[in-house]
Amino acid sequence: MLIASCGNISAQSKMLIGEWMYAPSSLTMYDDRIGLELTDSAFYFIYNGVSLQDGNYIISNDSVKVSWEGKDRGSYKIVKLTEDSLILNSSGEIKRLYSRKIDFNPELKLEGIAFTAGLCFGLCPEFELNYDSKGMIHFKLLSKEKFHVDTSYALTNNKVLRIDSLFKFSKIETLDTTQFFGADDWLMNITFTYDGDKHTRIHGTFMEMPYRIQSILHLFIEDLKEKELIYQRKSID
């Protein structure tokens, strides 16, 4: 199987673009990476809470070659590539991955999200946020200061659709609700209500939240910052 470089993208190399998750057989208890993400030119490692760019890449001679600022970051031989599976050989170590598209569940229906952000060792804002499937948010800033916010507003339709799509990728029923996903970071509690009366509660800190719900939290945080409801601590009209 011959794959062209990113400068001349073939149908096969386009298949590589996306998120690839390690199959359970390719993970050990010492692994902190859970997958790879490839864009048109950037190569990322997916960790539990975040994706971090490892470099840029080209595809040549059936290999993904990664470099950063002129320095070699590694080469991954493509053993097998289909629309939903990928096998790589890195210096004799075989890694089996599957396309994250497989995780998509079109039948999963999000009813609401209850989201509480608490303390950290810095200046993290404390707040409560409730979101319903129609895109309405009720936000309450919890502060010991005189300044106080208690408001409701609607997300844009694009953001509502984005949250719904991300949730359908979440594999929510497989998440370990007994685990505390945390480190020295911003404390958070999130409860998802879905498919009528099902509930899943996740407890931990922002950067250590499971990857599959991290993007949802990030969208809420960025929206609150855009509206200057957190950090700048101003209310909306």
Side-chain angles (χ1 to χ4, degrees):
M1 173 173 52
L2 180 62
I3 309 260
S5 71
C6 288
N8 182 23
I9 300 177
S10 68
Q12 288 176 319
S13 58
K14 286 181 181 179
M15 289 169 61
L16 274 172
I17 295 174
E19 295 176 322
W20 298 89
M21 313 305 289
Y22 289 127
S25 61
S26 290
L27 290 172
T28 72
M29 64 180 295
Y30 303 105
D31 286 324
D32 56 355
R33 300 168 179 169
I34 61 173
L36 308 173
E37 180 181 0
L38 284 78
T39 67
D40 289 339
S41 61
F43 181 96
Y44 295 81
F45 282 116
I46 300 173
Y47 296 84
N48 188 55
V50 68
S51 293
L52 297 176
Q53 186 173 357
D54 192 57
N56 296 313
Y57 74 94
I58 62 170
I59 304 173
S60 179
N61 296 325
D62 287 338
S63 293
V64 180
K65 298 181 179 180
V66 183
S67 63
W68 185 256
E69 295 182 345
K71 296 182 180 179
D72 179 39
R73 298 286 290 175
S75 180
Y76 304 86
K77 181 74 173 179
I78 300 170
V79 178
K80 181 181 179 181
L81 172 63
T82 68
E83 289 188 356
D84 56 17
S85 65
L86 173 64
I87 301 176
L88 298 175
N89 184 333
S90 177
S91 301
E93 183 180 10
I94 299 296
K95 288 290 188 181
R96 300 177 184 274
L97 304 97
Y98 68 90
S99 172
R100 195 183 176 207
K101 292 182 290 186
I102 294 176
D103 291 339
F104 189 78
N105 179 1
E107 304 301 320
L108 197 61
K109 183 179 180 181
L110 177 64
E111 308 287 350
I113 301 173
F115 175 17
T116 301
L119 295 172
C120 70
F121 289 105
L123 298 175
C124 302
E126 300 174 64
F127 63 83
E128 293 177 353
L129 183 151
N130 286 280
Y131 169 84
D132 66 32
S133 59
K134 296 180 180 179
M136 288 300 301
I137 284 180
H138 180 76
F139 172 83
K140 184 177 181 180
L141 184 66
L142 307 175
S143 175
K144 296 179 181 178
E145 304 171 8
K146 293 181 180 179
F147 187 82
H148 180 72
V149 174
D150 191 337
T151 188
S152 297
Y153 66 93
L155 281 182
T156 65
N157 188 57
N158 284 342
K159 289 181 179 179
V160 172
L161 293 175
R162 177 64 174 160
I163 289 172
D164 182 68
S165 176
L166 290 170
F167 185 71
K168 285 177 166 54
F169 277 107
S170 68
K171 298 188 72 174
I172 191 71
E173 292 182 309
T174 69
L175 294 179
D176 183 359
T177 58
T178 65
Q179 183 177 347
F180 177 79
F181 299 93
D184 293 337
D185 191 21
W186 194 4
L187 190 63
M188 294 186 173
N189 290 297
I190 303 96
T191 300
F192 294 89
T193 303
Y194 56 98
D195 289 352
D197 59 354
K198 294 181 180 179
H199 302 275
T200 295
R201 180 176 178 270
I202 308 297
H203 181 51
T205 54
F206 181 58
M207 293 302 295
E208 297 298 319
M209 283 290 172
Y211 175 77
R212 289 182 172 88
I213 67 170
Q214 178 69 221
S215 296
I216 298 175
L217 301 182
H218 184 74
L219 189 152
F220 282 129
I221 296 299
E222 289 304 307
D223 186 74
L224 292 173
K225 289 166 67 177
E226 288 172 9
K227 290 180 171 59
E228 299 186 341
L229 289 170
I230 58 174
Y231 298 107
Q232 293 84 1
R233 297 192 172 185
K234 298 179 183 178
S235 63
I236 59 176
D237 296 327

